Amino acid sequence: MRKLWAATVMAAALMTAPRPAEACGGFFCGRQPVDQTAERILFATNQDGSVTMVTQIQYAGAAPDFAWVVPLAEVPPVDSLAVFPQLALTALDTATGPQFQWPDEPGCYPPVFNAGGGPTAGNDDGGVTVHVREEVGPYDVAVIESTDPTALIDWLRRNGFRVNDAMAPYIGVYTSEGMKFLALRLQPDAEVSDIQPFRFTLPSGSPSIPIRLTAVAAEPEMGITVMLLGDRRYGPANWPEVEIDDDQIVWRPDAWPMQTNWTALVARGVDEVGGRGFVTEMSGPTASIAEQVRNTMTSDEAQLAARDALLPLLEGNTTITRLYTRLSPEEMTVDPIFRRTDGPEVSNVRTLPRYVDGRDLCGGTSGADAAATSPCDFAACGAGGLCRVVEVAGGTQPVAACACVPGTTARTTFDPSGRPTVTCQDLRMSFLNPGDRALPDAPPLADPCATFDCGPHGECEPMNMTPTCRCATGYVAVGAIAEDGSRQTTCVLPDEPVPASFYDGRVPPLPDSLPGGRPVDVPPPAVEATSGGCSAGGHAGGAGGLGGALLGLLFAVRRRRRS
């Protein structure tokens, strides 16, 4: 499936290609790996009260099918619309991301490995006010407004922006709130390889992410990284902060780069507060980062462009805050807003614990210590999932698999490190289904389950035209990637049984104003579920999304770490 993953928040890494060491400017050299599947958003406040926003756009598919739509409270100045170097966004991400230090204890040693101006005058076009229509880099850009969501969608389609019917109720929510819409498509002679992060400035207001529309195209358990530049630390105004106990960070001593369960802990922590929460991964002065960027010595044109784009934003603000979350589509019901807040600096450097829940993580790659870590330590199946370990035929190591509560289905996707995994996806959040039409004049969609096999103990369910598996009671879904790159999901028995009480869990109901993509008949639980939805205990991570000619939006989350 083609996939469109929206601005600064969706999955599939746009990592820059390795460069020769002699051509690498210090700040833009390769650094410690970050969440490869996270979307990235950068906010920078300006002295006049405006906010500059940089959003990463991730897309795989045909250039004519690309479309990107974002609700905005105000019309951005035309001269603020610009592309932004991917290298600059990636470098800032790696500089502020979590860095883990080996425990400073005897007998605990790391292994050795080789290795602008105001907007243009608006004009009315069929009930739609066109505030801006410009060519910016590889993009055809429009900023439009209408009180009629049908007229707005019709305008987008007439002008070559591919929007399907699944977006209509979500666009209706934003038009009723008086929002404008920023829409991007690739120009006719542009290629997918020309896609770059996009920058624009909003005249006033608090940084915010229009996440509700993102649910139409979002991956489940999608990582979102938000970086905010200002004169003080930032935090969520309408979402809770979530603390992660550093003493629960599990890591593998035999893996390089360092493998920890940090992203899984974030996913579980966010699920525990109802699916909306933020972790503060870092907050502190910009001075040292600006100095590194300023002193970058290189003749590489891409690195020079990244330096020149990033340095003014850093020099114009004294503090940078980095927030991280992982969300699924059914959790994207409230747009997060960010505001200045008080609080101490938060270092992104963390010392790993030697002992977690009585397990010694320093030694054991063999013998009695070999079971010091479990595949489920590093997985997060989502709010409707429970992780179990399975032995895979022909595999050298056990893997994590997921049991899913009624009303959800297992989807093979990729974890933040890029490895295949499984997550439990809400069946209601399928917006393209067999027999639907991606566009009104397109042919009906075929059933992707026609040739997909979940094994004798599973039933295939199409989710946004991607095959997923509903496993029989007691069975769990394990995911893999075939040699041809296709995703495989199979229902198998786990090493440890799934408790019968697990299947009494349910995901929470959706708000009436944000309907799902299709109705799902879920029987009532034998035992009334807890108020927080499914609290299944373990989790296993992953992501999946809506393919086709649609792009969702951005979203971000943050949660608070110990300082």
Side-chain angles (χ1 to χ4, degrees), residues 7-10 34-43 53-56 89-90 92-94 96-98 209 222-228 262-263 278-279 281-282 321-326 338 554-558:
T8 305
V9 245
M10 285 175 137
V34 296
D35 183 349
Q36 295 185 36
T37 63
E39 291 295 329
R40 296 166 178 84
I41 303 172
L42 172 63
F43 291 103
M53 183 175 183
V54 178
T55 67
Q56 175 180 317
L89 197 60
T90 301
L92 188 62
D93 184 19
T94 58
T96 58
I209 302 173
M222 182 168 68
I224 306 166
T225 298
V226 184
M227 295 168 281
L228 300 107
W262 174 255
T263 57
F278 299 87
V279 174
E281 292 191 316
M282 181 268 185
T321 303
R322 175 194 173 96
L323 313 175
Y324 177 68
T325 191
R326 289 178 68 184
F338 308 99
L554 5 157
F555 58 110
V557 238
R558 147 188 188 160

Side-chain angles (χ1 to χ4, degrees), residues 12-381:
L14 287 183
M15 304 301 290
T16 54
R19 298 177 177 274
E22 62 272 13
C24 183
F27 185 75
F28 299 102
C29 293
R31 293 168 181 261
Q32 183 165 318
V34 296
D35 183 349
Q36 295 185 36
T37 63
E39 291 295 329
R40 296 166 178 84
I41 303 172
L42 172 63
F43 291 103
T45 57
N46 304 312
Q47 291 185 352
D48 62 359
S50 63
V51 177
T52 295
M53 183 175 183
V54 178
T55 67
Q56 175 180 317
I57 300 172
Q58 298 185 0
Y59 174 73
D65 291 340
F66 173 84
W68 188 78
V69 182
V70 176
L72 301 175
E74 300 178 84
V75 178
V78 175
D79 61 3
S80 76
L81 306 176
V83 294
F84 191 82
Q86 178 66 51
L87 182 58
L89 197 60
T90 301
L92 188 62
D93 184 19
T94 58
T96 58
Q99 299 179 23
F100 301 100
Q101 294 184 343
W102 204 266
D104 185 16
E105 292 192 26
C108 201
Y109 305 108
V112 177
F113 294 91
N114 295 320
T120 57
N123 62 287
D124 186 80
D125 183 359
V128 175
T129 300
V130 183
H131 294 286
V132 175
R133 191 68 189 272
E134 295 285 332
E135 294 183 359
V136 180
Y139 300 117
D140 175 6
V141 182
V143 180
I144 59 177
E145 178 180 7
S146 178
T147 58
D148 182 353
T150 300
L152 191 141
I153 292 172
D154 288 345
W155 187 96
L156 289 169
R157 288 172 174 166
R158 288 199 313 271
N159 286 271
F161 295 88
R162 295 175 65 87
V163 178
N164 70 23
D165 291 339
M167 292 184 72
Y170 292 81
I171 285 179
V173 170
Y174 286 105
T175 55
S176 68
E177 297 171 357
M179 300 288 274
K180 288 73 174 170
F181 289 81
L182 169 66
L184 272 66
R185 69 169 186 169
L186 287 172
Q187 295 187 42
D189 59 347
E191 301 293 337
V192 170
S193 58
D194 296 323
I195 291 176
Q196 302 175 55
F198 195 73
R199 187 193 74 187
F200 54 93
T201 297
L202 299 177
S204 62
S206 300
S208 177
I209 302 173
I211 197 174
R212 287 171 289 177
L213 185 53
T214 308
V216 177
E219 298 269 330
E221 287 300 321
M222 182 168 68
I224 306 166
T225 298
V226 184
M227 295 168 281
L228 300 107
L229 291 164
D231 58 359
R232 290 170 57 187
R233 175 174 166 172
Y234 269 77
N238 60 337
W239 285 26
E241 292 192 78
V242 182
E243 285 199 22
I244 293 179
D245 188 346
D246 288 1
D247 293 338
Q248 294 302 307
I249 301 178
V250 173
W251 49 280
R252 291 191 56 190
D254 57 339
W256 186 261
M258 174 71 71
Q259 181 183 352
T260 77
N261 70 335
W262 174 255
T263 57
L265 288 175
V266 171
R268 297 170 195 164
V270 171
D271 286 341
E272 288 168 3
V273 297
R276 290 179 295 277
F278 299 87
V279 174
T280 301
E281 292 191 316
M282 181 268 185
S283 186
T286 59
S288 61
I289 298 176
E291 185 68 16
Q292 293 178 60
V293 175
R294 191 181 302 113
N295 293 336
T296 294
M297 304 297 293
T298 179
S299 59
D300 184 276
E301 292 184 2
Q303 294 175 28
L304 290 172
R307 181 196 64 187
D308 294 344
L310 191 55
L311 192 56
L313 300 180
L314 292 166
E315 292 179 334
N317 294 280
T318 59
T319 303
I320 183 169
T321 303
R322 175 194 173 96
L323 313 175
Y324 177 68
T325 191
R326 289 178 68 184
L327 301 177
S328 290
E330 65 273 14
E331 297 166 339
M332 300 174 187
T333 59
V334 178
D335 294 345
I337 302 170
F338 308 99
R339 66 182 176 187
R340 293 178 179 86
T341 186
D342 294 323
E345 293 183 8
V346 178
S347 173
N348 64 330
V349 178
R350 297 170 174 86
T351 299
L352 296 169
R354 175 167 186 166
Y355 299 96
V356 176
D357 297 331
R359 295 176 290 173
D360 183 357
L361 303 180
C362 273
T365 57
S366 62
D369 292 330
T373 64
S374 163
C376 283
D377 288 327
F378 305 94
C381 291

